[in-house]
Amino acid sequence: MIPVFILEEPHYHRLQLDAVNRFRGVALAIDTPEIHRVEVFRDGVKVTEADVNLPCPELDGFLRLARAGTSRFAFDMHVERGATYELRANGETLFIYETPADVTRLVQLTGKVASLPVPPPDVVATTQGGGNVESYRDSIIAGVTTSESLLRASGIEMKDVRDVLDIGCGTGRLLVSWYCDDPTRRLAGVDINPELIAWSRQSLPDVADWRTSALWPPLDFPDASFDLILMISVLTHLPLDCQRAWITELRRLLRPGGAAMITLHGDLYAPLLLDASNQQQYRETGYVQVAGAAEGANAYATFHTPQFARELFGAFDHITHFERGMENGVLRSFPVASLQDVYVMR
């Protein structure tokens, strides 16, 4: 299985072109040989390398994997404008870092995001699992640039997306990214947590139409209202019958030709988070739900194989699956929702 690989920095909008940048991330084997080193190549030539041995307390004890607590790496590297770098471990390409030739759009997005309020650390932790506000801000920009890449790979252009709904929007992280990209879009966000919606209404009143929703559909929007609907890390916390009800609701709310982007816990998460019995059920049936808390809570977790997910989304005509958010088997961008599988349905 492809190792766990998370590139934490530098995000593309923070990159200093034609200068030395600090790279930092996590590389951790699952069932492959242990990873002791990350190597960086340009045009097939190794330009630098770094040992994987730095502390990673956030994964220590959370994952059932040896060396999780010392799985971080870091190195400094001179980055040239328009160059492509491959980050490899054990001879396998894990991330293709394509430096932009023109950073004008990224600079503009960064400025717009910086002008808007972000939640305090305790509120960030409610939705992101950690209270790092700067990481939250970085993920706003990655939200729109990564979504653009995955949508384009699914045959959808950003210019055609005018009306966007985010179901399970939290504090509006992704809708802020769409707003900063083009403030003339019509955006709407719903969430079952009234405190998060209250923060968004007060802090980001011009960004979107913010509404509190129930755990189950329907929503109070007319048929065929949206070009794109996001459900990022939402079905991952709902029982299967509720998931099916939401899929029906998505079809009602989308215009002809519209798309839904949904993330799920896939083949990576099962061996990392499930015990032996649940892993066996996952392999045999393609689906597991672990009710560690009330429905809709973070500790209520669901896991879908790609085959099961395609059957669940069978009401859609076209389904594109990006395992862990990868394109053609390799990460090229910073994730929308950690390393969850991404499905784009039209």
Side-chain angles (χ1 to χ4, degrees):
M1 178 178 286
I2 300 173
V4 174
F5 188 85
I6 302 169
L7 187 61
E8 298 168 307
E9 62 178 352
H11 277 253
Y12 289 115
H13 64 280
R14 294 193 181 277
L15 188 65
Q16 300 296 311
L17 294 173
D18 302 317
V20 174
N21 290 259
R22 183 70 165 175
F23 282 72
R24 190 172 68 100
V26 171
L28 184 62
I30 301 176
D31 57 2
T32 54
E34 287 188 357
I35 296 175
H36 296 283
R37 187 171 293 105
V38 168
E39 301 174 312
V40 183
F41 291 77
R42 179 183 178 186
D43 299 327
V45 178
K46 185 165 71 173
V47 294
T48 192
E49 63 182 22
D51 291 335
V52 180
N53 57 8
L54 300 177
C56 187
E58 53 268 59
L59 294 185
D60 191 19
F62 176 67
L63 299 181
R64 301 184 180 92
L65 293 175
R67 302 190 71 246
T70 55
S71 58
R72 181 166 277 121
F73 63 88
F75 60 88
D76 295 323
M77 184 176 71
H78 187 275
V79 177
E80 295 185 20
R81 183 184 304 268
T84 297
Y85 301 91
E86 292 186 36
L87 280 72
R88 303 179 187 175
N90 293 342
E92 186 170 13
T93 299
L94 301 178
F95 198 107
I96 295 180
Y97 196 96
E98 298 170 300
T99 64
D102 183 2
V103 296
T104 302
R105 182 190 179 202
L106 289 174
V107 170
Q108 292 174 343
L109 279 172
T110 302
K112 291 177 181 178
V113 170
S115 70
L116 294 174
V118 293
D122 60 325
V123 178
V124 169
T126 300
T127 60
Q128 303 301 111
N132 189 318
V133 173
E134 283 308 305
S135 177
Y136 178 92
R137 200 188 301 271
D138 286 341
S139 73
I140 293 175
I141 299 173
V144 70
T145 56
T146 298
S147 294
E148 179 179 28
S149 180
L150 298 182
L151 288 171
R152 181 178 293 120
S154 307
I156 301 160
E157 294 296 330
M158 294 281 280
K159 64 180 178 59
D160 298 324
V161 179
R162 304 306 309 160
D163 299 278
V164 181
L165 170 65
D166 187 354
I167 299 174
C169 65
T171 50
R173 176 177 65 97
L174 293 177
L175 289 179
V176 167
S177 72
W178 285 85
Y179 173 81
C180 289
D181 180 65
D182 183 352
T184 68
R185 289 190 176 102
R186 185 178 71 92
L187 308 176
V190 301
D191 199 280
I192 62 174
N193 188 325
E195 294 180 1
L196 300 181
I197 291 296
W199 183 90
S200 297
R201 282 177 178 161
Q202 180 178 359
S203 306
L204 305 166
D206 298 326
V207 169
D209 173 8
W210 307 106
R211 304 187 188 186
T212 304
S213 67
L215 190 70
W216 287 68
L219 297 176
D220 188 20
F221 295 105
D223 294 356
S225 293
F226 298 98
D227 303 310
L228 175 67
I229 299 178
L230 308 171
M231 292 192 79
I232 307 303
S233 198
V234 174
L235 299 189
T236 48
H237 305 293
L238 298 176
L240 189 55
D241 51 352
C242 188
Q243 296 175 39
R244 292 192 171 110
W246 277 111
I247 297 304
T248 300
E249 180 71 350
L250 296 184
R251 287 287 306 227
R252 181 185 75 81
L253 292 172
L254 284 170
R255 295 182 177 128
M261 179 182 289
I262 295 177
T263 68
L264 300 174
H265 295 138
D267 288 345
L268 170 67
Y269 282 82
L272 294 180
L273 300 180
L274 293 175
D275 60 26
S277 175
N278 280 322
Q279 286 187 45
Q280 181 177 354
Q281 180 183 340
Y282 178 83
R283 290 190 297 268
E284 292 176 351
T285 69
Y287 178 76
V288 171
Q289 58 190 41
V290 179
E295 297 172 1
N298 289 336
Y300 190 106
T302 66
F303 303 80
H304 303 68
T305 63
Q307 179 180 350
F308 191 95
R310 288 183 177 276
E311 294 172 357
L312 178 65
F313 303 144
F316 287 87
D317 300 314
H318 303 280
I319 303 171
T320 308
H321 172 218
F322 302 93
E323 182 184 0
R324 310 189 200 180
M326 297 186 295
E327 297 181 58
N328 298 319
V330 180
L331 286 169
R332 296 174 178 269
S333 55
F334 291 82
V336 173
S338 189
L339 294 175
Q340 293 183 22
D341 287 5
V342 180
Y343 294 84
V344 177
M345 289 89 68
R346 293 184 289 128

